[in-house]
Amino acid sequence: MTLTSRERSLTSLVQGVGLDYLRRLLPPPWLALALLAATSTWMALSTHDMIALSACAIAFGGLLMHWPQRTRRAWPLWRTAALGLAAAMEAVPGWAHEDVLRTLLVVIAAASTLHTLARLVAAVRLSLRLQRSARAMDDASLLAMLPEEAREDARRWRDGDDSKSAELQLVINLAALWAALSAVNADKARQRPAAM
C-alpha cells in the first residue's frame, strides 16, 4: 500500500542518525573479538594475571579510542610504552614481581579504562543530541540540503514512487547527520563564549 503525498514526510526517512554516528566510531565486531581472543590467550598463557589483564585493558581501550582516527596511523605513545612494559614484565621474570612496575601498570590500565569510558559516554551523549537534532528537522529543510537529483527523487517519493526508497533514505540520513553535526557544533560555539 502506498501513501499519498499528504501522508508521506521525508522526516519519516530520518532513522538512526545518532546510532549510525555511534556505530562509525566503534571498531567492527570482528576486530574487537580478535583483540579479545588475543588478550584472552595472553591471559591464559601468562603466569601473571594482573599484567595480562592490564595489557588487555590498555589494548582494548586503545582500539576503542583510536579507531575513529585510524587513517592517521598514530597509536599514542603512552599506550605503546605501557604495552611494551607489560610485555617486558612477562619476558623478564624479575620485573613481574617489582611492586613499583606492577602498580604503575595497573594505574595506567585504570587510567586507560576511565579515559575510554569517559569518551564513550561523551560519544553516546553526542549521538543522542544528533538524533534529537535530526528528528527536529522538517521536510523543507531536508529538501533544501539535497542535491537537485536527490531533490527530484524525494519529490517523486512523496508522490508515491518507491523505486529509489533505499538510496533516498541513505541520502536523507547523511544530510540529516551533516545538519545535526552543524547544529551541535553551532551550539557548542555559542556556549563557549558564555563559559569564558
Side-chain angles (χ1 to χ4, degrees):
M1 181 174 124
T2 59
L3 299 170
T4 65
S5 60
R6 272 184 314 197
E7 297 169 313
R8 282 192 149 179
S9 172
L10 293 175
T11 56
S12 67
L13 295 176
V14 179
Q15 298 172 356
V17 170
L19 187 59
D20 284 346
Y21 172 80
L22 191 59
R23 193 178 299 127
R24 292 173 199 277
L25 289 181
L26 299 175
W30 67 265
L31 185 57
L33 288 174
L35 180 61
L36 195 58
T39 53
S40 297
T41 302
W42 184 352
M43 288 179 71
L45 296 175
S46 175
T47 55
H48 309 287
D49 289 343
M50 191 53 70
I51 295 172
L53 183 62
S54 297
C56 176
I58 293 165
F60 205 74
L63 176 65
L64 288 175
M65 294 301 300
H66 299 286
W67 179 256
Q69 302 163 5
R70 62 193 174 277
T71 55
R72 291 190 204 164
R73 296 184 185 167
W75 187 262
L77 183 59
W78 67 273
R79 287 188 203 272
T80 305
L83 289 173
L85 175 63
M89 289 173 71
E90 284 283 354
V92 180
W95 286 19
H97 301 291
E98 288 290 329
D99 287 339
V100 172
L101 293 178
R102 288 174 65 88
T103 302
L104 177 64
L105 190 61
V106 169
V107 167
I108 292 171
S112 174
T113 302
L114 290 173
H115 183 242
T116 302
L117 286 174
R119 290 283 295 271
L120 285 175
V121 167
V124 168
R125 289 178 64 199
L126 177 58
S127 72
L128 292 172
R129 286 180 68 191
L130 290 174
Q131 186 63 37
R132 281 193 303 270
S133 180
R135 279 289 185 192
M137 298 181 72
D138 59 5
D139 278 18
S141 56
L142 284 171
L143 271 174
M145 287 187 298
L146 298 177
E148 188 55 41
E149 184 179 339
R151 200 173 302 141
E152 289 304 316
D153 291 341
R155 288 186 182 113
R156 282 194 294 273
W157 179 83
R158 288 172 69 185
D159 290 334
D161 180 2
D162 286 331
S163 62
K164 294 194 175 181
S165 289
E167 296 94 336
L168 185 60
Q169 182 167 11
L170 178 62
V171 171
I172 292 281
N173 275 318
L174 288 173
L177 176 60
W178 181 82
L181 281 169
S182 298
V184 166
N185 287 335
D187 284 347
K188 283 182 186 176
R190 277 194 299 271
Q191 291 171 359
R192 201 172 295 131
M196 291 180 178

